[in-house]
Structures are given as structure tokens and as C-alpha cells.
Amino acid sequence: MPEPTAPARPTAPARPTEPVRIVATNLRRFAVALWVVAVALVVIGLLTNGLRAALLVPVPSLFTAWFAWVVLWRPRIELTEDELVVVDVRRTTRFAWRRVQDVRSKYGLEVVTDQGEQRVWIAPRPTARLALERPGGTVPVTVAAAADEMRARVPAALEYDGAPPATVTAAPIVHRVHGWAVVALVVLGIAGSMAGARL
């Protein structure tokens, strides 16, 4: 008589591995509009003030263009096989997937880890318009759908039948502050105000 076999454990669905970038479509459109305005300001300034103001005219436009890139265009979320990368205005944070516990979308995108929660700049509210940039193209998504895409990559909690392993490899959370970008934004803002006052 054959011995009864233990029921097979259900296998978890495979986690997606292709790289995905999540961006805010409205913020990027606004950035493009500001870049157009920055160019127009240079042209208008030179026509109005002449070449004598050639050194002052571009400064407010430089601030406008830099603001558009730092605050509106650069912030994004990157999903790779190994980590979740959140690029905000002040810093870039890299989360190893093992440190991510959940992704919430009730009040905007929030990444939940064992160190707490981090709100995401590009989706501060649940009605923000986002887009998924895949190798095959770009698809518009809601905040909830973006959270689902991120949540699908969060690995299941590890279960041990016996004693836990003697050594555990640390799963890092790395923060890199955009100090130079923020300082440049402040300096250009002050210089732009001074240049505008002299024109």
C-alpha cells in the first residue's frame, strides 16, 4: 500500500522582474511648459533691454529651468529586480525589496518599511495622474494601480521550519540627499530675484 504524501505547498506567483519607471504626467507637462517660458523670457528680456542686459536676462530663466527639472521632472519611482528607488526633491532613497512591507495608496503613495513610512512626492494625493514607463512603452495609471504594480514586487515574508539562519545578510535602505541641487535652487532663486530687480 503506497504511503500517503504530504500535500504540496501552493507556490507564490512569480514576482515581476522587468524594470519599470513611474512618473507624474501632469508634473512633467508643467515642467515642459516652464522650459518654454524660460526660453521665452530670455528672448523677451533681450528684446526689451538690449544686449547691455545680456548677463542679467538669463538668470531668472536659469532658475525657472532648474526648478522645472529638480521639482517637476526628475522625481520618479524606479522598480528593478533588486530594489525600489524613490527619487524626490530632497533625496533619493533605495529600498531593498526585503525591507518593503507594504505600499499604500489611500492618501497618495506611501512606502511602508520597518523604519516607518515615506510619502512619495509625485503622488501626494490619490487622484494624481501617473504613467508606467516599461521597455515596451508608456501606460497611464492611477495611484492605486501604481501601488499594485509596486506591491506585486514585495516578496512574501520568509518562513523557517527550523531555527533561523546563523547569519543574515543585511537588506539596506540607502538615503542620498540632493544637497547640491537644493543649494543651487536657492542660489539661483536669490540671483534671479536680484537680476529681475535690476532689469
Side-chain angles (χ1 to χ4, degrees):
M1 184 175 179
E3 296 182 1
T5 57
R9 291 186 179 181
T11 57
R15 293 169 53 222
T17 56
E18 68 173 356
V20 173
R21 177 177 290 186
I22 303 173
V23 299
T25 52
N26 282 352
L27 291 182
R28 290 201 159 188
R29 288 190 188 113
F30 189 30
V32 172
L34 284 181
W35 285 328
V36 172
V37 168
V39 173
L41 285 176
V42 172
V43 175
I44 293 170
L46 289 176
L47 290 175
T48 304
N49 299 284
L51 292 178
R52 63 181 178 79
L55 295 178
L56 295 177
V57 167
V59 179
S61 293
L62 284 174
F63 167 72
T64 302
W66 187 250
F67 177 89
W69 184 73
V70 170
V71 178
L72 303 175
W73 186 271
R74 182 174 63 171
R76 64 192 182 275
I77 301 168
E78 296 178 357
L79 313 179
T80 70
E81 183 176 359
D82 300 319
E83 61 185 2
L84 164 65
V85 182
V86 177
V87 182
D88 284 343
V89 176
R90 295 182 301 109
R91 66 184 182 181
T92 294
T93 304
R94 297 179 177 274
F95 302 92
W97 281 114
R98 283 186 291 157
R99 299 294 294 273
V100 180
Q101 297 176 341
D102 194 11
V103 180
R104 298 176 184 162
S105 60
K106 185 176 181 181
Y107 304 108
L109 277 179
E110 295 179 334
V111 178
V112 182
T113 71
D114 53 5
Q115 287 188 350
E117 303 169 3
Q118 178 172 329
R119 296 290 297 272
V120 178
W121 173 264
I122 64 171
R125 61 187 188 283
T127 56
R129 295 184 181 180
L130 305 175
L132 291 180
E133 295 180 348
R134 301 180 185 276
T138 302
V139 180
V141 292
T142 62
V143 172
D148 290 340
E149 181 76 21
M150 297 165 67
R151 206 177 292 117
R153 295 172 182 254
V154 176
L158 296 176
E159 296 182 3
Y160 298 104
D161 292 335
T167 59
V168 178
T169 304
I173 297 178
V174 180
H175 302 285
R176 182 173 61 84
V177 177
H178 300 158
W180 62 272
V182 175
V183 169
L185 192 64
V186 173
V187 170
L188 284 174
I190 295 171
S193 300
M194 295 173 64
R198 295 190 61 181
L199 287 174

